[in-house]
Structures are given as C-alpha cells and as structure tokens.
Amino acid sequence: MAIFPWIWDGAESGQCLQVYSSHSGAVRDACWSPCGRRLLTGSFDNTAMVTDVETGQQIVKVGNQFKVMCLAVQPDNPEVFLCGGYSAEVKAWDARTCKVERVYRARIQQTLAILFLTGGREFVTSSDSVSRDSAERTLIAWDFQTTAKVSNQIYHERYTCPSLALHPQQDSFVAQSNGNYMALFSAQRPYRMNKRRRYEGHKVEGYAVRCGFSPDGSILATGSSTGSVHFYDQQSARTLHTLLAHQQACMCVSLHPVLPAVVATCDWGGELRIWQ
C-alpha cells in the first residue's frame, strides 16, 4: 500500500496542490530543503526520500535498517541529512552519492527528535530512555564532523522529550517534555537548562507533540493532548493565548514564516487546519 505525502496551499486557497506516491509505510517526518524546491520525508518503510516538489520526481531514496522517526537537514550543506528512528544509531546521508557519511551511536532504543544547533557543527538528539540511570541519554549533543558526544549531561529529569525547536535569533533551544512543559536550554556548551523559565499549561501525556517559534522568536507555540494550541511569550514564559483547535490531540503547530497571523495545526485523527 502506497503512502502519499500531500502539499497544501495553506496561506490562500487551502487546496491540496500536489500528492506524491512515495512510501509504502507511514510517513513520520517531512521537512523542506532550504531552497524550498525539495521535500525530505522519512517513513516506517525504513526509507528516507528526497522529492522534487515541482515535478514530483523522486531524486533520492535511501534505505535504513530501521523505521525512520525524525530527520534534519545540515544547515551548511543541504545535500546532507540525518535520519533517526527505531535504532541506537543516527545516520548522516549524502544525497549526491546516496551513501552513509557518518554514524552516531548511543546506548538507546530509538531517537525521537534531531535538532541542528546554530552553524550546523553540532546537533542534539532526544531518546526514549527514562530509566533511573538514563539521564545521560535523554538529550545528547553531538559533534557533526567527528561523531563524538559533546555532552550527555543536559537534561536530568526522568521524562522523554518528543520534540525540539531552535530559537531563530538567540543561542537557545527548547525541548518538549512529557512532564507537560517545555524546557529552555542554552545552545552553547555546556547547554545549561534555564531553571527559572519553564513553559507550562499544555498537556503532552505521551503524545509526540511538536513545538515551534515564530520567525522573530518572540512567540513559542505548542500543541496539546487536549486538542488546544498554546502560545507563550518567549521572554517571560507567560501564556499569551489558548486556541481550542481540535477535538483530538493537537500534534503539531507551525507559525507561517512570512504571514505573522497565519498558523497551521494538525491532530491525531489526521485533520489539518489553517488559522488566521
């Protein structure tokens, strides 16, 4: 059975612009190339694929030995991308050669999210480790070039972090925690957590709820297992607005990169909504 990624006109018509027949399993993650002409997708069929959005042509298809849960494009070299999922490994692929460039290994069962930090020289992964001695494996910072672990003493609470988001202007990032809050960290070594600023009021409750910043970084938005969308002031962590968006768990919220009043949300049941 083929699984189809869809491209939508979210800003104006709300119509589906293109459907691509690409994967034979559930598509777990998708991200644009920096130029906006290509779409990178990862699937439970163990593959990652790069598709030309205009022609629908499959440009790259690589096979991993695991179900792909998360992807990240290298900021300095968009031909290189990372794949993580149901594996102790994260793989760096070169789209030009379709070969694995580097492998990053940790004592985990699966990678939940990948986030490149400013400059692309280092990245952070989150894992499913929640045992008593797993604090050094919940969040791990890696050196992209050498594959060495830069730090594994970042987050010391016994919750998994299903999503990560980088601030667009400051050297900081947030981690969505299954403790029903978002934690703020420095994006510079040693990646200290800001214990005085915590974004809470939404619910995660085991769902892979995603979060994200507005283009100027002033607003942090997240979905919720209750179906609502929560907007926080990034500086004060104060709740700005709560939107009752869906009947089922709201899995993702994305603020439009150009139109400041436009927001896209999606829920556990597969519904996608555009808000203004």
Side-chain angles (χ1 to χ4, degrees), residues 197-214:
R197 196 183 307 175
R198 178 176 288 193
Y199 308 89
E200 50 190 345
H202 60 288
K203 299 291 184 182
V204 182
E205 297 179 328
Y207 287 96
V209 175
R210 297 196 180 191
C211 55
F213 288 98
S214 61

Side-chain angles (χ1 to χ4, degrees), residues 130-141:
V130 292
S131 60
R132 180 174 299 178
D133 63 344
S134 67
E136 79 267 10
R137 301 196 298 276
T138 302
L139 293 180
I140 302 174

Side-chain angles (χ1 to χ4, degrees), residues 98-201:
C98 294
K99 293 183 178 179
V100 176
E101 278 200 337
R102 299 172 182 86
V103 178
Y104 310 83
R105 296 182 175 90
R107 292 184 298 114
I108 60 174
Q109 292 184 328
Q110 63 176 294
T111 300
L112 304 177
I114 305 171
L115 179 70
F116 272 105
L117 301 179
T118 306
R121 293 182 298 273
E122 297 172 358
F123 66 93
V124 176
T125 59
S126 66
S127 79
D128 62 341
S129 297
V130 292
S131 60
R132 180 174 299 178
D133 63 344
S134 67
E136 79 267 10
R137 301 196 298 276
T138 302
L139 293 180
I140 302 174
W142 303 83
D143 184 290
F144 174 73
Q145 291 290 343
T146 67
T147 75
K149 294 177 184 176
V150 177
S151 176
N152 58 1
Q153 299 292 323
I154 302 175
Y155 184 61
H156 299 283
E157 300 188 26
R158 292 179 59 189
Y159 299 110
T160 57
C161 298
S163 68
L164 307 168
L166 182 68
H167 193 283
Q169 296 182 5
Q170 300 176 7
D171 281 332
S172 62
F173 69 94
V174 295
Q176 181 81 270
S177 168
N178 266 305
N180 297 323
Y181 65 89
M182 289 178 288
L184 180 68
F185 298 86
S186 170
Q188 297 291 330
R189 302 183 190 183
Y191 318 104
R192 296 189 189 279
M193 183 172 73
N194 187 331
K195 296 182 179 179
R196 293 177 295 179
R197 196 183 307 175
R198 178 176 288 193
Y199 308 89
E200 50 190 345

Side-chain angles (χ1 to χ4, degrees), residues 51-115:
T51 302
D52 185 293
V53 175
E54 184 175 350
T55 66
Q57 179 183 0
Q58 174 188 309
I59 300 173
V60 175
K61 187 174 184 178
V62 297
N64 298 275
Q65 286 73 51
F66 54 82
K67 295 179 179 179
V68 179
M69 294 275 291
C70 48
L71 302 161
V73 178
Q74 217 280 341
D76 287 343
N77 184 1
E79 298 293 341
V80 176
F81 59 90
L82 299 179
C83 284
Y86 285 88
S87 172
E89 298 179 343
V90 170
K91 294 183 178 181
W93 289 90
D94 190 320
R96 295 161 294 194
T97 63
C98 294
K99 293 183 178 179
V100 176
E101 278 200 337
R102 299 172 182 86
V103 178
Y104 310 83
R105 296 182 175 90
R107 292 184 298 114
I108 60 174
Q109 292 184 328
Q110 63 176 294
T111 300
L112 304 177
I114 305 171
L115 179 70

